[in-house]
Amino acid sequence: MSMSTPNISTDSGIEIKKVYTAEDAQAALPEESPLPGEFPYTRGVQPDMYRGKLWTMRQYAGFSTAEESNKRYHYLLSQGVMGLSVAFDLPTQIGYDSDHPLAEGEVGKVGVAIDSLEDMEILFKGIQLEQVSTSMTINATGFILLAFYVALAKKQGADLKKIAGTIQNDILKEYAARGTYIYPPKPSMRIITDIFEWCSTDLPKWNTISISGYHIREAGSTAVQEIAFTLSNGKAYVKAALDKGLDINVFGKRLSFFFNAHNHLFEEVAKFRAARKMWAQMMKEMGATDEKAMMLRFHTQTGGATLTAQQPLNNICRVTVQTLAAVLGGTQSLHTNGYDEALSLPTEEAARIALRTQQIVAFESGAPDTVDPLAGSYFVESLTSEVEKKAWELVEKIDAMGGSVSAIEEGFMQEEIARSAYEYQRNIENGDKIIVGVNKFTVEKEEPVPGFKIDDSIRTIQSQKLAALRARRDHAKVVSCLEAITEAAKGTRNLMPLVVSAVEAYCTLGEIADALRKVFGEHK
């Protein structure tokens, strides 16, 4: 008697066949399959990929005060990190100084508290900004943090033409998935295009936006939804910049993306390959002619939501699979999560193991030795084509609504993500989806893992620093800088030069955010 095998599908609902043949791959591949470094870049954005240069190994860190985070940065740099990645606390993310009543209980918790240029000076003490590339996960207040960074670079005597890094600056996914927005969508888009315009002349090597699928995935989307929603958001930013009269071949080169790497090794590789191909086509349709403006360059972070508090050491293995997915999928930069992050911020030991995971894949696994090693796999080529097809269907739905801003205002993306998250959770609860150590292969007694604790006295320390700063700075200069920002917000003048002047006069993050709240209001 023959047993029929149950249907097996990915989390995106793509059914996986028992076996794939040359016919499947042929159906998925175009007649002429372009090489890596050639449009539409399915096989990678560089002809030699990691043989020429490894991906940038970043570790995301930031907690407590600028002093404490600075110690961790020096430690990570000593361990072989090639780029820093800054996490900010919630008050910093939503434009409140540490001494604001709404900041209570949150100062320094999920990232570092940065209230002024003074904090930025401490955060990067002993680090030459010309010699590192820094990624800052900051959105609503991204323009202020960028101004702090630029003001510090100027104080260090750095050449702004050499300053490299990225601000996330992706506000659309905040409305769709994450929630750390301040202003309504339209003025937020204006701030973003001001950043594009200003950086294209003053900060040419800076990536002005990292369009993020990471948080869309963390909120519960599937791999297909992650790329469809992220690329649609990217399209909205490009259109806003074009409406402002900016040159797609100039600002297009400074757009970067930020994706999640989950546990389904092959679907994730297919997702990264499909995303590159789709973005190249989108940019071409919107008028890009420069090759570099059509290339989708991306940073990857391993999936925070996949980490389990149960048997946390199992997370080392999960992060390894996700690291392989990112590398086999052709990432430009990677952050690996600490095994203890379902319990607390990572300890120094967990951060070191996470970095060593990247280094072992880089130097011991052989994965980087050839470009796009899974190309031509019957399964991977077929899956890349399936992911792409399903993602285009969603993109077309969003286009029909008038683009991402309208789709978010109508709640379309939020509802799609919520439905996927619900289905995923239900499958775990009914045992259809196995999570090792959670709903199968559990243990009677868990061994405790030492966590990383943040002291509640940080808010007092930050408040004292703010009081001292406000007492000694030039008060009249502060007032005139803030008034200039409010006035400019009423018109069309680019805000960035005024914000840089304000931070140089030691205006605080909260004061600058408030100067714009007066004109733009807050998104409710």
Side-chain angles (χ1 to χ4, degrees):
M1 169 177 135
S2 73
M3 294 284 284
S4 70
T5 48
N7 282 352
I8 291 178
S9 50
T10 70
D11 290 332
S12 296
I14 295 167
E15 200 173 311
I16 297 175
K17 293 158 63 158
K18 185 173 74 176
V19 69
Y20 287 79
T21 65
E23 278 175 18
D24 294 299
Q26 270 161 353
L29 284 166
E31 290 294 303
E32 285 291 305
S33 202
L35 288 166
E38 290 177 9
F39 182 89
Y41 315 107
T42 314
R43 299 196 57 194
V45 291
Q46 306 293 345
D48 55 355
M49 283 305 286
Y50 306 132
R51 289 174 73 121
K53 179 175 174 272
L54 282 172
W55 63 93
T56 302
M57 297 181 196
R58 290 189 189 281
Q59 283 307 107
Y60 185 48
F63 51 86
S64 175
T65 58
E67 287 88 346
E68 289 303 310
S69 291
N70 177 261
K71 285 178 200 164
R72 177 70 68 94
Y73 293 158
H74 281 284
Y75 170 74
L76 288 168
L77 289 165
S78 77
Q79 296 299 304
V81 153
M82 306 137 122
L84 296 172
S85 190
V86 187
F88 297 97
D89 71 359
L90 276 173
T92 303
Q93 291 181 49
I94 51 177
Y96 293 121
D97 290 331
S98 297
D99 57 1
H100 192 286
L102 290 177
E104 196 170 345
E106 292 297 342
V107 177
K109 289 291 168 72
V110 298
V112 62
I114 299 291
D115 292 318
S116 70
L117 176 55
E118 189 177 63
D119 286 332
M120 207 67 161
E121 288 161 7
I122 298 164
L123 185 66
F124 288 101
K125 193 176 178 190
I127 298 168
Q128 287 301 310
L129 301 191
E130 229 181 73
Q131 286 158 21
V132 291
S133 101
T134 303
S135 168
M136 296 190 273
T137 305
I138 193 77
N139 297 283
T141 53
F143 66 106
I144 306 174
L145 271 300
L146 178 60
F148 285 150
Y149 197 82
V150 167
L152 176 59
K154 284 164 76 175
K155 282 191 93 166
Q156 288 185 355
D159 176 357
L160 293 188
K161 301 271 185 280
K162 289 182 185 163
I163 295 293
T166 307
I167 37 171
Q168 192 165 95
N169 195 27
D170 172 8
I171 204 68
L172 290 176
K173 66 98 181 37
E174 296 298 330
Y175 305 114
R178 196 162 162 268
T180 64
Y181 43 72
I182 304 174
Y183 315 111
K186 289 196 175 61
S188 294
M189 292 295 272
R190 179 240 171 122
I191 294 172
I192 288 168
T193 54
D194 278 2
I195 294 168
F196 287 1
E197 183 178 50
W198 183 76
C199 288
S200 69
T201 54
D202 288 58
L203 216 62
K205 282 184 79 172
W206 193 266
N207 293 323
T208 48
I209 193 164
S210 174
I211 304 152
S212 172
Y214 184 83
H215 303 96
I216 288 171
R217 192 66 177 278
E218 288 291 287
S221 82
T222 64
V224 164
Q225 288 169 334
E226 180 187 350
I227 60 168
F229 296 166
T230 307
L231 299 183
S232 288
N233 287 349
K235 208 166 159 179
Y237 293 122
V238 171
K239 288 195 163 153
L242 288 171
D243 288 346
K244 194 167 182 158
L246 304 185
D247 182 346
I248 192 167
N249 287 321
V250 177
F251 74 79
K253 292 177 196 169
R254 301 270 52 103
L255 305 176
S256 65
F257 287 81
F258 172 28
F259 290 120
N260 206 311
H262 261 236
N263 291 329
H264 195 299
L265 180 69
F266 299 104
E267 186 178 39
E268 294 299 293
V269 172
K271 175 189 85 179
F272 296 132
R273 297 173 88 247
R276 270 194 296 272
K277 185 179 176 191
M278 290 172 72
W279 184 245
Q281 285 169 315
M282 283 180 175
M283 286 298 273
K284 195 172 188 175
E285 279 166 22
M286 288 187 285
T289 52
D290 188 309
E291 285 191 355
K292 283 206 157 70
M294 295 184 242
M295 287 177 184
L296 179 141
R297 296 165 306 116
F298 66 100
H299 168 69
T300 310
Q301 183 175 336
T302 56
T306 68
L307 302 176
T308 64
Q310 300 89 331
Q311 301 175 37
L313 288 172
N314 293 347
N315 293 327
I316 296 174
C317 180
R318 290 185 178 102
V319 168
T320 306
V321 171
Q322 294 163 12
T323 300
L324 265 174
V327 170
L328 295 171
T331 193
Q332 275 61 67
S333 134
L334 179 62
H335 161 84
T336 32
N337 289 334
Y339 68 83
D340 54 0
E341 286 189 58
L343 301 162
S344 68
L345 286 165
T347 54
E348 214 162 79
E349 183 208 34
R352 186 176 65 244
I353 291 170
L355 176 62
R356 295 290 178 257
T357 304
Q358 294 200 49
Q359 291 163 335
I360 289 166
V361 169
F363 301 107
E364 297 183 28
S365 75
D369 294 352
T370 187
V371 185
D372 195 18
L374 295 182
S377 147
Y378 303 153
F379 179 35
V380 171
E381 293 296 0
S382 189
L383 198 50
T384 301
S385 172
E386 285 281 328
V387 167
E388 185 193 352
K389 194 173 87 204
K390 276 186 169 293
W392 276 126
E393 284 167 13
L394 274 174
V395 169
E396 280 157 17
K397 272 188 186 172
I398 291 165
D399 283 346
M401 293 176 185
S404 270
V405 179
S406 307
I408 288 165
E409 285 171 349
E410 287 175 35
F412 171 73
M413 288 190 195
Q414 299 91 314
E415 281 163 25
E416 286 280 310
I417 295 167
R419 196 179 68 239
S420 297
Y422 173 74
E423 279 170 20
Y424 185 80
Q425 193 54 40
R426 196 180 58 190
N427 290 337
I428 293 171
E429 282 164 18
N430 64 25
D432 285 347
K433 180 155 192 71
I434 291 167
I435 306 290
V436 173
V438 176
N439 62 358
K440 205 166 186 173
F441 315 114
T442 54
V443 289
E444 285 293 303
K445 186 174 178 290
E446 292 273 354
E447 287 299 312
V449 170
F452 187 83
K453 292 278 176 283
I454 295 291
D455 191 348
D456 270 327
S457 65
I458 290 158
R459 183 163 184 249
T460 311
I461 296 166
Q462 283 298 110
S463 300
Q464 285 165 352
K465 282 201 316 204
L466 275 166
L469 174 74
R470 289 191 182 115
R472 67 168 184 272
R473 64 189 185 177
D474 181 337
H475 181 68
K477 199 170 179 187
V478 165
V479 171
S480 82
C481 284
L482 294 172
E483 280 173 356
I485 291 171
T486 301
E487 275 314 299
K490 292 172 187 168
T492 55
R493 187 176 168 191
N494 193 305
L495 296 166
M496 281 308 295
L498 298 168
V499 175
V500 173
S501 299
V503 306
E504 287 176 331
Y506 290 91
C507 294
T508 69
L509 171 114
E511 289 164 347
I512 296 166
D514 282 347
L516 291 176
R517 277 185 179 100
K518 284 180 189 167
V519 183
F520 297 154
E522 290 187 279
H523 181 70
K524 289 286 181 272

